[in-house]
Amino acid sequence: MKIVHLSDLHLGKRVNEFSMLEDQAYILAEILRIIDRVQPQAVIVAGDVYDKPVPPAEAVELFDDFLWRLAQRQVQVFIISGNHDSPERIAFASRLIDSSGIHLSPVYGGQVTPITLQDQYGPVHFYMLPFVKPAHVRRYFEDAEINSYTDAVKTAVDAMAMDKGQRNVLVTHQFVTGAARSESEDVSVGGADNVDASVFDGIDYVALGHIHGPQSMGSDRIRYSGTPLKYSFSEAKHNKSVTVATLGEKGTLTVETVPLTARHDMREIRGCYNDLVTRANYEGTATDDYLHIVLTDEEDIPDVMSRLRVIYPNLMKIDYDNQRTRTGGQITGADAPETRTPLELLSAFYELQNGQPMSEEQTRYAKALIEKIWEEGA
């Protein structure tokens, strides 16, 4: 059975105040062309369909059109809600449209009923587990000891009572310990949202969402497909793709990736102002890529953003890297604050304000408080 695995569409997202809707429409059309070429039996969207729980109307219309086009291809589609989605909105009309082959995960209620497809080797059972926090699972398993995300997901998976002698696919949206993150993902304090990969033992394929870089977790059996588009400059070096997983007879799995080419790439370039202007003029054409420009000039260039946008119309961000910014301790690139946990940011702020680091007792208290806020925030 051939499966196309997608995740983290983040429809309606804005990056540095640029709307990504046109880029998203373009990449969804590219994905449909890949589906036509690959001819899968199933398509998975592993959460974060939208970028916000209440998405803009244009994003809903775009996803509606994508689903309609998938239904026309008579492929089975499995969609779950992620941490950016409203589970209730994703589940809306799920029972009504189920017969069209579009399967939307219901709001988690303690039970996950599989949907079974058939191929020449027999049944394949698809289980859809939307993004859950310990508090979500704890209310349905009052006698279980659920103190962490690993406990929560393990309890939810164990309750599915999968027959491990048959082929099973789990679609879920969590952070598996060890996954390489980028700054555009939600970061929890101290790795509180980590889920140990051992909870997925014995499952033939785990289609994951949440992490934006495509990657396998120990083996191809547990995999993130990543986002179809770059959503921050921390993703500039990602090679975006569609994951195609093929299940043969029990115990047989092959995974390949099909590259995706975006309407606009996202890149970082650096140099002095005059060199960047000369480079664009020498090349004879302005670039339409989304750009983060790092200027190395020692003096600030007046009105530099509007001046450079004449040449680079999709310039998103400008920073300076020179003696002044390095001396002043400005944080750029890989050390940007977006990549630090809330506890690290709070600790840095406390030390800046008080001239000394937080004590161990203060750190423990702050960590416990942030973890509580993180868990109860959904």
Side-chain angles (χ1 to χ4, degrees), residues 6-13 15 19-31 62 182 184-185 211-214 225-236 238-242 260-266 290:
L6 311 167
S7 76
D8 297 88
L9 305 180
H10 287 280
L11 301 180
K13 187 173 182 65
V15 179
S19 170
M20 303 300 289
L21 268 172
E22 290 186 5
D23 298 81
Q24 290 168 336
Y26 179 91
I27 210 67
L28 290 180
E30 289 293 301
I31 289 169
L62 178 57
S182 57
S184 47
E185 299 145 5
I211 300 302
H212 289 192
S225 63
T227 56
L229 291 172
K230 299 175 182 179
Y231 286 134
S232 76
F233 288 102
S234 65
E235 301 177 39
H238 287 183
N239 295 314
K240 300 300 185 181
S241 61
V242 168
L260 285 169
T261 302
R263 181 167 170 258
H264 300 115
D265 197 7
M266 185 174 283
Y290 294 123

Side-chain angles (χ1 to χ4, degrees), residues 272-284 311-312:
C272 70
Y273 175 82
N274 287 335
D275 285 348
L276 293 175
V277 172
T278 302
R279 183 191 309 178
N281 291 334
Y282 178 77
E283 291 172 353
I311 305 168
Y312 301 101

Side-chain angles (χ1 to χ4, degrees), residues 112-157:
V112 176
T113 302
I115 295 169
T116 301
L117 305 184
Q118 298 279 341
D119 66 7
Q120 66 267 38
Y121 299 107
V124 178
H125 307 290
F126 287 77
Y127 294 81
M128 295 188 290
L129 178 64
F131 174 74
V132 291
K133 292 184 176 184
H136 298 153
V137 180
R138 197 180 293 125
R139 71 183 63 150
Y140 300 105
F141 300 92
E142 295 179 355
D143 296 331
E145 186 174 341
I146 301 174
N147 300 312
S148 66
Y149 276 71
T150 294
D151 294 340
V153 175
K154 184 178 189 306
T155 299
V157 171

Side-chain angles (χ1 to χ4, degrees), residues 67 69 172 179 199 232 253 285 296 300 370:
L67 291 185
R69 293 179 187 280
T172 192
V199 303
S232 76
L253 170 70
T285 182
T296 56
D300 288 357
I370 296 173

Side-chain angles (χ1 to χ4, degrees), residues 5 16 21-22 50 55 84 104 110 116 119 121 125 170 190 210 212 218 223-224 240 243 281 295 323 352 357 371-372:
H5 173 193
N16 293 296
L21 268 172
E22 290 186 5
Y50 300 112
H84 280 251
L104 305 171
T116 301
D119 66 7
Y121 299 107
H125 307 290
L170 176 65
H210 189 38
H212 289 192
R223 180 160 179 87
Y224 288 103
K240 300 300 185 181
T243 293
N281 291 334
L295 290 170
Q323 185 174 353
L352 181 65
E371 286 177 351
K372 182 179 179 182

Side-chain angles (χ1 to χ4, degrees), residues 83-322:
N83 59 301
H84 280 251
D85 298 311
S86 161
E88 294 80 7
R89 286 183 171 84
I90 294 296
F92 176 75
S94 58
R95 289 175 292 178
L96 184 64
I97 68 173
D98 214 49
S99 59
S100 68
I102 307 295
H103 309 289
L104 305 171
S105 65
V107 177
Y108 183 72
Q111 298 290 327
V112 176
T113 302
I115 295 169
T116 301
L117 305 184
Q118 298 279 341
D119 66 7
Q120 66 267 38
Y121 299 107
V124 178
H125 307 290
F126 287 77
Y127 294 81
M128 295 188 290
L129 178 64
F131 174 74
V132 291
K133 292 184 176 184
H136 298 153
V137 180
R138 197 180 293 125
R139 71 183 63 150
Y140 300 105
F141 300 92
E142 295 179 355
D143 296 331
E145 186 174 341
I146 301 174
N147 300 312
S148 66
Y149 276 71
T150 294
D151 294 340
V153 175
K154 184 178 189 306
T155 299
V157 171
D158 288 349
M160 297 175 192
M162 295 182 189
D163 179 355
K164 299 295 179 66
Q166 298 194 24
R167 293 176 297 165
N168 301 291
V169 174
L170 176 65
V171 186
T172 192
H173 189 94
Q174 300 289 161
F175 173 50
V176 176
T177 304
R181 288 183 140 165
S182 57
E183 70 180 39
S184 47
E185 299 145 5
D186 287 345
V187 179
S188 73
V189 57
D193 57 346
N194 285 11
V195 174
D196 192 274
S198 63
V199 303
F200 305 125
D201 286 350
I203 302 175
D204 297 271
Y205 186 67
V206 182
L208 291 166
H210 189 38
I211 300 302
H212 289 192
Q215 57 196 284
S216 295
M217 302 306 301
S219 76
D220 286 341
R221 190 178 57 81
I222 305 173
R223 180 160 179 87
Y224 288 103
S225 63
T227 56
L229 291 172
K230 299 175 182 179
Y231 286 134
S232 76
F233 288 102
S234 65
E235 301 177 39
K237 295 183 180 179
H238 287 183
N239 295 314
K240 300 300 185 181
S241 61
V242 168
T243 293
V244 180
T246 303
L247 290 171
E249 58 186 346
K250 177 68 179 179
T252 303
L253 170 70
T254 59
V255 170
E256 59 179 325
T257 58
V258 181
L260 285 169
T261 302
R263 181 167 170 258
H264 300 115
D265 197 7
M266 185 174 283
R267 298 186 294 117
E268 180 177 285
I269 60 176
R270 59 189 295 125
C272 70
Y273 175 82
N274 287 335
D275 285 348
L276 293 175
V277 172
T278 302
R279 183 191 309 178
N281 291 334
Y282 178 77
E283 291 172 353
T285 182
T287 175
D288 286 332
D289 289 346
Y290 294 123
L291 293 177
H292 172 204
I293 290 180
V294 180
L295 290 170
T296 56
D297 301 83
E298 289 297 332
E299 300 295 329
D300 288 357
I301 308 298
D303 200 22
V304 66
M305 179 70 82
S306 58
R307 291 168 70 177
L308 282 174
R309 274 187 176 159
V310 174
I311 305 168
Y312 301 101
N314 288 325
L315 171 59
M316 285 185 164
K317 181 180 179 183
I318 287 180
D319 281 319
Y320 282 89
D321 181 17
N322 53 32

